[in-house]
Amino acid sequence: MCGIVGIVGTNPVAMQVVDALKRLEYRGYDSAGVATLENGHLTRLRAEGKLRNLELKLSQAPLTGAIGIGHTRWATHGRPNETNAHPHATDKLAVVHNGIIENFRPLKAELTAKGVVFETETDTEVVAQLVTDELRQGKTPMEAVAATLPRLRGAFALAFLFEGEENQLIGARHGAPLAVGYGEGEMYLGSDAPALSPFTDEVSYLEDGDWAVLTRDGVEIRDAGGHPVDRPRQTIPQGQFTANKGNHRHFMAKEIYEQPEVVARTIAHYVDFAEGRMRPLDLPVSFAALTRLSITACGGSYYAALVAKYWFEKLARLPVEIDVASEFRYREAPLEAGQLALFVSQSGETADTLASLHYAKAQGQHVVSVVNVPGSTMARDSAVVTPTLAGPEISVASTKATTCQYAVLLCLAILAGRQRGTLSLDDERRLVAALATVPGTMSDALKLEDMIEPYAREIARAHDVLYMGRGTSYPVALEGALKLKELSYIHAEGYAAGEFKHGPIALIDETVPVIVIAPHDAVFEKTVSNMQEVAARGGRILLITDALGSQEAAMDTMGTIVMPDCDPVVAPIVYAVAVQLLAYHTAVFMGKDVDQPRNLAKSVTVE
Ligand code: M6R
């Protein structure tokens, strides 16, 4: 993953670089570094851990160069220590890298045979050494980079700073995003456009294979063949990044509490409440023309896709094939041309999801994506974007973007049902009425926070926690387990309630809390039977249900969280709030780093 930045500036740039890196910390926070040129000579400073450690070092020993590059790391090759921190440097250059150089081993062997001594465990150092090797043969920086890029395999974005070159930065993109920013006598490079927003709102996005030479006067972009190309300048909306926790202790808390508002905004984008109808969407193909739908995503977005499978199949009688993108991309799934492939992603930059999207496109699929970040690669590479309007999500664990994904996918399923004739106008009106209740019901669910918090204290003592649910509550169980793992590092798994007896029930004893997601819906009684099988074996059950469910099935083991009543069709959106709060408070109680959990990054741009 990692975030990279480059600035050809007019004043000392180190703190500007750090400012941009702060906006990229969602890509990783294992270490950070910056390099500048002072009187033509490379100087660099790196620090293990979060950006604030680098800031501290810079405050003690400022770098003064007016041209520089910077990096915030999510470790792929090599431990997250200072030695492996970027920029990597030789006596001739410094380089920052996002992505993976897949063929670094043979390249390293080749360079080692030539006598090059490597200092780090990273794949990136081979890039520094390869370009240096070309420079030693008398090539210019541009020629050296041009000669090196075709030798690299994998997905990467790079930014180079050269000894003695006070007015030249080189950036390259191959499978990982890189934006060029235009300033007044200054030019910028960044892994995304919002990173550059303190300096400029004019950017162009490099395309795959492009490399760019930046000077204070502008940029020259070339494609993989070395031909000069124009990449259109775009104006990015300001305010895409608001690093503001409001009155909350963590971004995650703020984002949990924003949900009624952003889910309302998202639903209103798709629903005409005055008419009680879905708004028509300009999709590349009608749902009526489809024989199947594929949905692909990763992590929490995949669980949203799994909820959507239930919705599309039930409401629109449309068979849905879903897959995690890391599997889909290499599965060589046969796809009938002309069908619809849906991709779900908060960031729009997840490498596996993007690769799957490109595969689907190549197989003649109409590509639509449910994306939260406007202008992201996925948004740009899709025929149509059906946006989630969650606004910037800073906390690594997704909350508001996830529930907005649920909302969009439910709207699409209703639309599909209408287009396919499986839902009548009355059905549509009933479902729209259910959607209308969601923001208010989510607000009511948030009022349960004080009631949920004591359960979190109990969960915090466990080593293993199991979640179960049936139907659309099954993906919510998976989501709950993911949130708990991500935030508290407690081992947690989600299961389809009916699957428990096929193995997981062997794990049950009085030390393992089992969290049962069970709104009083069509499968409630079945879930309750499975819950009783667990209770009969000494399991401690925390039941999350509604008033009727609690009346019929509350158990005297761990407890019951009584959720506000809602139409079962929208229950996943509402019940997500409870599992979020439970995971959040467990992590807070355990003193974990809620917004930036260990080993994770917000946007996973490596495969
Ligand atoms: O940006 P994306 O939605 O494509 O990201 C996919 C996953 O990496 C993401 O959902 C991850 O699982 C979150 N940390 C979940 O909280």
Side-chain angles (χ1 to χ4, degrees):
M1 259 98 74
C2 313
I4 68 175
V5 173
I7 300 179
V8 198
T10 42
N11 290 306
V13 293
M15 291 322 289
Q16 268 180 298
V17 168
V18 168
D19 206 11
L21 289 177
K22 282 183 185 162
R23 289 161 170 77
L24 292 172
E25 228 183 349
Y26 71 88
R27 292 173 158 265
Y29 34 81
D30 287 335
S31 64
V34 59
T36 68
L37 285 187
E38 289 175 7
N39 301 320
H41 297 301
L42 286 163
T43 50
R44 74 178 162 152
L45 214 51
R46 298 173 298 162
E48 189 176 324
K50 293 191 181 162
L51 210 42
R52 59 174 173 262
N53 299 347
L54 177 69
E55 268 187 292
L56 188 65
K57 278 193 166 183
L58 279 168
S59 68
Q60 288 155 358
L63 297 184
T64 59
I67 179 169
I69 54 177
H71 189 268
T72 180
R73 180 170 189 240
W74 185 80
T76 60
H77 295 58
R79 278 159 292 169
N81 55 23
E82 187 175 326
T83 309
N84 290 327
H86 298 222
H88 293 292
T90 66
D91 57 332
K92 298 209 169 291
L93 61 85
V95 62
V96 287
H97 164 217
N98 162 35
I100 292 177
I101 308 298
E102 288 174 355
N103 58 334
F104 85 99
R105 282 176 214 286
L107 294 172
K108 191 169 182 176
E110 175 192 315
L111 288 159
T112 307
K114 280 187 175 176
V116 173
V117 177
F118 284 84
E119 288 170 4
T120 77
E121 301 162 309
T122 66
D123 52 341
T124 310
E125 199 182 352
V126 297
V127 181
Q129 293 294 355
L130 277 175
V131 178
T132 299
D133 191 46
E134 299 288 352
L135 291 169
R136 290 201 207 292
Q137 292 169 37
K139 293 197 172 91
T140 65
M142 275 177 66
E143 289 166 347
V145 171
T148 301
L149 292 176
R151 304 200 59 202
L152 306 178
R153 278 208 321 269
F156 53 82
L158 296 160
F160 296 93
L161 174 67
F162 296 92
E163 173 86 7
E165 298 285 347
E166 293 271 11
N167 190 23
Q168 176 174 280
L169 276 186
I170 299 183
R173 175 197 163 138
H174 184 94
L178 197 57
V180 174
Y182 301 79
E184 290 286 318
E186 298 200 340
M187 289 294 293
Y188 317 97
L189 276 174
S191 289
D192 67 20
L196 307 180
S197 63
F199 322 125
T200 179
D201 59 359
E202 287 283 304
V203 301
S204 48
Y205 295 97
L206 296 189
E207 292 187 6
D208 260 358
D210 285 356
W211 55 286
V213 182
L214 282 75
T215 65
R216 288 182 182 86
D217 302 323
V219 62
E220 243 185 56
I221 304 176
R222 289 168 196 270
D223 65 14
H227 310 296
V229 282
D230 268 338
R231 300 298 177 213
R233 282 202 204 191
Q234 305 182 19
T235 306
I236 47 167
Q238 286 301 301
Q240 278 199 22
F241 182 88
T242 35
N244 175 358
K245 291 180 197 158
N247 293 328
H248 297 277
R249 210 170 138 191
H250 301 102
F251 281 108
M252 184 178 178
K254 173 178 172 251
E255 288 159 6
I256 287 174
Y257 272 87
E258 279 174 355
Q259 290 180 109
E261 188 190 332
V262 297
V263 168
R265 189 198 304 158
T266 300
I267 292 174
H269 185 80
Y270 295 91
V271 173
D272 180 343
F273 285 111
E275 293 292 319
R277 305 279 313 265
M278 304 306 298
R279 295 183 198 281
L281 280 181
D282 197 11
L283 295 174
V285 60
S286 164
F287 283 109
L290 302 181
T291 52
R292 59 181 284 288
L293 171 69
S294 74
I295 316 182
T296 310
C298 297
S301 297
Y302 169 75
Y303 298 146
L306 186 51
V307 183
K309 178 179 168 71
Y310 287 84
W311 282 328
F312 275 104
E313 293 192 339
K314 180 161 183 195
L315 302 176
R317 309 302 301 148
L318 179 59
V320 176
E321 225 174 84
I322 73 159
D323 213 336
V324 286
S326 53
E327 288 302 314
F328 178 81
R329 63 179 297 188
Y330 292 116
R331 202 155 51 86
E332 297 184 21
L335 302 172
E336 188 192 328
Q339 299 292 314
L340 188 68
L342 207 57
F343 296 87
V344 186
S345 174
Q346 187 286 127
S347 61
E349 300 293 351
T350 304
D352 288 318
T353 312
L354 265 174
S356 301
L357 183 152
H358 294 142
Y359 173 80
K361 241 183 180 178
Q363 300 289 308
Q365 303 298 289
H366 298 290
V367 167
V368 173
S369 56
V370 178
V371 174
N372 195 44
V373 178
S376 59
T377 311
M378 216 172 290
R380 286 181 284 119
D381 288 0
S382 301
V384 169
V385 178
T386 49
T388 48
L389 303 176
E393 192 180 62
I394 310 296
S395 168
V396 166
S398 180
T399 53
K400 61 176 183 165
T402 302
T403 47
C404 285
Q405 287 170 348
Y406 291 4
V408 172
L409 290 163
L410 177 54
C411 290
L412 292 178
I414 298 170
L415 198 68
R418 286 296 286 145
Q419 289 183 354
R420 293 170 68 78
T422 53
L423 293 177
S424 65
L425 185 55
D426 280 353
D427 294 330
E428 182 180 2
R429 293 224 155 100
R430 182 187 65 77
L431 289 161
V432 164
L435 279 168
T437 64
V438 170
T441 317
M442 290 180 100
S443 295
D444 291 342
L446 287 168
K447 292 183 190 136
L448 300 177
E449 181 169 17
D450 288 348
M451 204 255 241
I452 291 174
E453 199 258 0
Y455 293 121
R457 288 170 188 260
E458 277 194 65
I459 302 280
R461 289 200 293 270
H463 291 293
D464 301 281
V465 178
L466 302 179
Y467 288 70
M468 66 152 82
R470 257 180 202 262
T472 51
S473 296
Y474 164 44
V476 179
L478 293 167
E479 170 68 10
L482 177 67
K483 287 283 101 84
L484 191 69
K485 276 187 270 216
E486 284 186 298
L487 294 169
S488 69
Y489 321 144
I490 294 173
H491 173 243
E493 298 299 337
Y495 290 99
E499 275 294 293
F500 239 68
K501 56 186 175 291
H502 297 291
I505 202 163
L507 297 170
I508 297 302
D509 65 25
E510 61 290 348
T511 66
V512 182
V514 180
I515 296 162
V516 182
I517 321 289
H520 199 280
D521 56 14
V523 290
F524 176 73
E525 284 173 5
K526 306 283 173 203
T527 309
V528 169
S529 301
N530 301 131
M531 180 176 86
Q532 253 138 9
E533 289 153 13
V534 171
R537 286 156 181 86
R540 289 170 62 232
I541 287 159
L542 176 58
L543 174 62
I544 307 182
T545 184
D546 47 30
L548 195 53
S550 139
Q551 213 177 301
E552 289 182 16
M555 297 200 130
D556 192 18
T557 54
M558 195 165 160
T560 303
I561 297 171
V562 183
M563 298 291 288
D565 288 337
C566 62
D567 188 312
V569 77
V570 298
I573 316 179
V574 176
Y575 280 58
V577 173
V579 297
Q580 292 165 358
L581 286 172
L582 199 57
Y584 172 75
H585 281 291
T586 307
V588 170
F589 181 65
M590 294 172 80
K592 301 297 185 200
D593 189 342
V594 170
D595 286 330
Q596 293 184 321
R598 72 181 183 198
N599 302 341
L600 297 180
K602 183 75 183 152
S603 175
V604 185
T605 59
V606 293
E607 65 170 299

